[in-house]
Amino acid sequence: MARILQVQDPETIRLAVEALGRGEPVAMPTETVYGLAADATNPAAITAIYEAKGRPRFNPLIAHVSDLEMARMHALLSPLAERLAETFWPGPLTLVLPLKTDGGIHELATAGLATVGLRVPQGYARSLIRAFGRPLAAPSANRSGRISPTTASHVAEDLKDRIDLVLDGGPCTVGVESTIIAVDGDTLTLLRPGGVPVEAIEEAAHVKVRRNDSAESGIIAPGMMRSHYAPEARLRLNAVDVRPGEALIRYGGKVLEGEDQASWARDLSPTADLREAASNLFSFLKQADGNNRAGIAVAPIPSEGLGEAINDRLSRAAAPRE
């Protein structure tokens, strides 16, 4: 079983940097979800991430950097990309940018693509990257395709002895992964909705964000596989009633017909606050998965703002297993 270390302990960051220097992956807290971090310049370290997660090698990884200066060392940023970085970093926005061939990020992290996804995380993860001095590739710290972890205990329960260190920074505040935007000159393309609403990006950029057709482009960023974030139980989305034995995930305080037959029930946000709903999503999916006999019913969630990211995760969690 992985060791769980508290981030408040000053020894934790030293032990984490030493492990990263040996090429070992370390689970670290971010504001979005817990990430399984390893040296993005070290092919053996990147391979260890794929092995621990059971992740397909064609699925690229986000490289987390400490600041805009480190980002410029590894990618080419257009003026529009610079504006978005200055507005939203540190924060839950990943920019997919042309890769600098001499930057040092290994092709295993980019799945051999000519682009790289970069993000500056908030909080302890950023301090860890600064202390390490190199970018950290860090997908979610769970087995591939499963529910993303938002607490240290989620990581330890899922990965068990596949990794050695889990850094406990408490529950994640955002609760869904970063928004991923591809920047090609003055064109912005949404590859994955996430913790920054598209409307906020369009307002900052003064550019309309186009939607990506992943069927045409293939897997060019994390979170684009049709089946992802999946619990063991089957999800029934946009449910207006509850069938006997189903676990129930509600929204906005609305009671569903047949709710008294549910094996378990929680409300993502009784006050219809999409930020609260996003922060509770993965935790509630995990709890519902352990408290169902006949699947999980999920009430309708509005699609605006962070609701787009919530519905994206739910649709992938409900998709047929790949």
Side-chain angles (χ1 to χ4, degrees):
M1 196 73 170
R3 292 184 292 160
I4 298 179
L5 305 180
Q6 300 300 314
V7 299
Q8 295 88 349
D9 186 340
E11 277 290 285
T12 294
I13 199 162
R14 180 184 67 81
L15 293 171
V17 167
E18 288 179 354
L20 293 168
R22 294 192 298 268
E24 298 173 9
V26 172
M28 67 178 184
T30 78
E31 75 277 31
T32 57
V33 300
Y34 274 70
L36 187 58
D39 185 350
T41 70
N42 180 344
I46 299 163
T47 298
I49 292 176
Y50 284 116
E51 290 175 345
K53 285 180 63 68
R55 183 184 177 100
R57 302 302 202 270
F58 59 77
N59 199 352
L61 306 176
I62 293 170
H64 294 68
V65 293
S66 59
D67 49 36
L68 187 50
E69 182 180 359
M70 187 181 284
R72 293 185 185 117
M73 294 169 60
H74 299 282
L76 300 171
L77 281 78
S78 68
L80 179 55
E82 292 264 353
R83 187 189 316 158
L84 291 176
E86 289 169 355
T87 302
F88 295 106
W89 285 355
L93 176 66
T94 294
L95 300 177
V96 175
L97 305 163
L99 181 67
K100 277 189 174 179
T101 55
D102 60 349
I105 292 177
H106 197 273
E107 63 181 2
L108 280 176
T110 64
L113 298 171
T115 55
V116 62
L118 294 180
R119 164 169 120 79
V120 178
Q122 295 173 355
Y124 191 83
R126 189 181 186 194
S127 299
L128 180 58
I129 299 164
R130 280 177 171 157
F132 186 58
R134 293 191 291 279
L136 293 178
S140 57
N142 58 289
R143 285 178 291 159
S144 185
R146 299 298 303 277
I147 302 170
S148 299
T150 54
T151 67
S153 61
H154 291 164
V155 178
E157 290 164 8
D158 195 6
L159 293 181
K160 297 183 171 63
D161 60 356
R162 296 183 179 205
I163 61 171
D164 184 45
L165 290 183
V166 179
L167 312 185
D168 188 351
C172 300
T173 55
V174 174
V176 293
E177 294 86 351
S178 61
T179 304
I180 302 181
I181 295 286
V183 185
D184 182 8
D186 292 329
T187 300
L188 301 179
T189 303
L190 177 68
L191 303 183
R192 179 183 73 184
V196 177
V198 170
E199 296 88 341
I201 295 168
E202 291 178 333
E203 182 178 353
H206 308 297
V207 172
K208 190 72 175 174
V209 175
R210 62 180 290 267
R211 262 57 177 181
N212 178 68
D213 183 351
S214 60
E216 293 182 3
S217 64
I219 306 298
I220 57 176
M224 294 181 68
M225 296 179 69
R226 185 183 175 202
S227 175
H228 207 41
Y229 317 108
E232 296 289 344
R234 292 292 180 179
L235 267 68
R236 187 165 62 90
L237 304 184
N238 298 311
V240 295
D241 60 4
V242 184
R243 297 168 185 170
E246 283 185 318
L248 168 64
I249 296 178
R250 276 193 309 247
Y251 176 77
K254 295 180 180 178
V255 178
L256 274 64
E257 182 181 346
E259 188 169 318
D260 58 334
Q261 303 179 90
S263 59
W264 175 96
R266 294 289 187 279
D267 197 313
L268 286 171
S269 175
T271 61
D273 182 336
L274 287 170
R275 287 186 179 275
E276 181 183 20
S279 69
N280 285 329
L281 178 63
F282 288 136
S283 177
F284 282 11
L285 281 174
K286 281 184 173 290
Q287 293 176 51
D289 201 24
N291 287 279
N292 85 90
R293 290 190 294 273
I296 303 170
V298 183
I301 312 292
S303 293
E304 70 269 7
L306 284 176
E308 182 175 10
I310 294 170
N311 282 299
D312 172 80
R313 303 308 188 272
L314 288 170
S315 66
R316 294 179 193 277
R321 306 299 197 264
E322 295 181 342

